[in-house]
Amino acid sequence: RMKRAFDSNGYVILFKADIFKSDSIAAQFIFELMCYDVSEIPPVFMLEQHEKSFISNLMQEIWRENNQENPLKNEIILGHLNIILLLCLRTMPKQEHNPSAEQQIYRKFRQLLQKQFRSLKKVKDYSAILNISDKQLNETVKKHTGQL
């Protein structure tokens, strides 16, 4: 369920993240968004008017392609999605090119959590994989989630 303002408008596209090659920029961007809580990175992208128009046109093309039986339609839709995701990525604050050791630990933890949450339940399981103490993992997560 999505909460939104009464007068808001936009598009929602449902797709599986694994449609992108795992090493693509779009796949990494989606993974980063999935791994963070909305309070950490709000899923709202502020676009310039020309970008809004461009994305709106792409969305209409996706709709048109999806409702036709053309060869390569899935590849065309995927190409349009890639462009949309890259435009959204471009609007996000610049990430540090050399993240600190703590930032790297937090990112690796979130990746592990996303992939292993069904099988790994305890802090000690994650800290063992990350080669750090339980206390260090707890403090890192608290710091990055604003709960310190």
Side-chain angles (χ1 to χ4, degrees):
R1 207 158 201 357
M2 195 162 101
K3 294 181 182 178
R4 63 180 181 87
F6 179 72
D7 62 342
S8 66
N9 60 49
Y11 299 95
V12 174
I13 303 175
L14 299 175
F15 58 90
K16 294 182 179 181
D18 61 1
I19 64 171
F20 297 98
K21 291 180 182 175
S22 62
D23 61 344
S24 73
I25 293 172
Q28 291 171 14
F29 175 60
I30 291 169
F31 181 80
E32 288 290 322
L33 283 179
M34 287 181 355
C35 283
Y36 290 99
D37 187 279
V38 174
S39 62
E40 293 176 71
I41 300 178
V44 174
F45 303 97
M46 303 308 290
L47 303 170
E48 300 290 329
Q49 185 56 46
H50 70 279
E51 292 170 320
K52 290 178 189 177
S53 297
F54 184 67
I55 288 176
S56 183
N57 289 336
L58 284 174
M59 293 299 293
Q60 290 171 16
E61 284 299 312
I62 289 171
W63 181 261
R64 189 179 64 72
E65 283 293 332
N66 192 53
N67 290 316
Q68 295 183 15
E69 288 303 320
N70 294 324
L72 303 176
K73 85 174 189 178
N74 291 338
E75 287 77 8
I76 292 169
I77 291 170
L78 182 61
H80 292 331
L81 280 174
N82 261 307
I83 293 168
I84 291 169
L85 291 170
L86 291 171
L87 286 171
C88 291
L89 177 61
R90 187 168 64 184
T91 68
M92 293 186 72
K94 301 288 184 245
Q95 298 289 325
E96 290 185 36
H97 293 292
N98 298 313
S100 69
E102 191 175 73
Q103 289 169 320
Q104 290 175 12
I105 288 169
Y106 183 66
R107 184 173 290 143
K108 287 177 185 175
F109 166 71
R110 294 304 293 238
Q111 290 171 344
L112 276 172
L113 187 63
Q114 179 70 22
K115 293 176 183 174
Q116 305 280 339
F117 74 93
R118 286 188 175 99
S119 59
L120 300 177
K121 302 291 184 190
K122 298 180 180 177
V123 173
K124 70 178 183 176
D125 298 331
Y126 291 98
S127 61
I129 293 170
L130 294 169
N131 242 359
I132 60 174
S133 70
D134 298 359
K135 181 180 177 183
Q136 185 181 1
L137 179 57
N138 278 326
E139 288 174 357
T140 299
V141 170
K142 285 179 182 179
K143 180 178 179 184
H144 283 272
T145 59
Q147 297 180 15
L148 215 173

